[in-house]
Amino acid sequence: MPSIAVTNLSKVYNPGHTNEVKALDDVSFSLMEGEFAAVLGASGAGKSTLLNILGGMDRPTSGSYLIDDTDVAKYGENELSRFRRLDVGFVFQFYNLLPQLTALENVQLAASVAANPFDSKEVLMEVGLEGRLANFPSELSGGEQQRVAIARAIVKNPKLLLCDEPTGALDSKTGAQIVSLLLDISKTYKKTVILVTHNAKIAEVAERVIHIQDGRIARDEKVEHPLSAKDISW
């Protein structure tokens, strides 16, 4: 049974007007629990629109989006808000940490709004920050801040982890470490991970690679033997 099933998903901005934009056009795919998928495409291909819909931050114009047989596309505003809070963990290119809170407090804040969170300290230890719990974001490197952001997303115990260019603000070595961490988390916590990127190198470690072009899926590949992050020439 797929963890996620997207069927004929489309998103049209300004429908019926001369400036109509079809950001997504009849997109369909499914993912299993614990699968690590990379969504690859150029700027403007529709990657961010897809991620926004999967995360409940936007609505499709048509089509269905099922998680555990429940159609998120039919949710009302209150249901979408609850879905974002409980079922989705977000990791962005920029870390969006609260500067006045320590690493531990940033993660604890996310845990406080979750229904069944993990232990905040244990998650920070899992991402390699056991010695940085009391540090503020300004006292952390970019890679460490991204690790806090990942811990903040995971601590909620979400069904789905969505990552939007999570290595975009990092150097190649640190980016490789973050990708390796996300892979480990996918397996350790059995979370479905969708990583949106324009970096083809990152796609080499994914179990699924979904190529988007002009709002449509140009290619959907199942990778039998993905590389590990340390085996890629970054």
Side-chain angles (χ1 to χ4, degrees):
M1 179 70 69
S3 172
I4 296 172
V6 172
T7 306
N8 304 128
L9 205 67
S10 294
K11 178 63 180 182
V12 181
Y13 295 101
N14 304 314
H17 293 79
T18 55
N19 60 341
E20 177 180 294
V21 175
K22 187 171 284 189
L24 292 177
D25 185 7
D26 201 32
V27 168
S28 297
F29 65 89
S30 61
L31 297 173
M32 305 301 291
E33 182 182 54
E35 196 165 7
F36 187 101
V39 177
L40 193 65
S43 296
K47 306 186 305 297
S48 293
T49 300
L50 176 61
L51 205 71
N52 286 340
I53 291 173
L54 295 180
M57 294 185 290
D58 201 356
R59 295 177 179 276
T61 304
S62 60
S64 65
Y65 162 36
L66 273 62
I67 289 188
D68 297 336
D69 285 336
T70 301
D71 193 352
V72 178
K74 294 180 179 178
Y75 279 176
E77 288 301 326
N78 289 340
E79 291 172 306
L80 275 179
S81 178
R82 178 180 172 82
F83 171 70
R84 290 191 298 267
R85 179 165 55 87
L86 300 182
D87 295 333
V88 186
F90 295 98
V91 181
F92 300 101
Q93 178 176 348
F94 301 104
Y95 324 118
N96 300 322
L97 302 177
L98 294 176
Q100 70 273 27
L101 300 183
T102 65
L104 178 58
E105 289 168 342
N106 266 279
V107 176
Q108 287 175 329
L109 183 62
S112 70
V113 300
N116 186 31
F118 294 123
D119 181 87
S120 297
K121 288 184 180 179
E122 289 181 4
V123 173
L124 280 164
M125 291 174 65
E126 191 71 34
V127 301
L129 291 176
E130 59 273 8
R132 309 292 266 165
L133 304 186
N135 289 89
F136 293 94
S138 61
E139 300 171 320
L140 302 173
S141 69
E144 288 171 334
Q145 290 185 65
Q146 190 61 295
R147 287 172 183 266
V148 176
I150 291 169
R152 180 183 58 189
I154 283 296
V155 77
K156 298 196 304 178
N157 193 12
K159 294 179 180 178
L160 178 63
L161 185 62
L162 300 177
C163 308
D164 190 1
E165 300 282 5
T167 65
L170 304 172
D171 61 79
S172 58
K173 180 180 178 181
T174 307
Q177 293 171 348
I178 292 300
V179 172
S180 182
L181 174 61
L182 289 169
L183 283 165
D184 290 342
I185 283 173
S186 172
K187 302 312 166 198
T188 300
Y189 293 100
K190 292 183 172 58
K191 300 300 179 186
T192 304
V193 177
I194 300 178
L195 190 154
V196 163
T197 183
H198 67 276
N199 186 346
K201 289 289 185 183
I202 293 177
E204 294 181 35
V205 307
E207 299 163 307
R208 283 278 294 284
V209 182
I210 299 171
H211 299 261
I212 291 188
Q213 183 176 352
D214 297 328
R216 299 182 65 90
I217 292 183
R219 199 160 71 252
D220 184 354
E221 302 171 316
K222 176 75 173 177
V223 182
E224 294 298 332
H225 302 290
L227 298 177
S228 67
K230 64 181 177 61
D231 292 330
I232 294 177
S233 176
W234 296 88

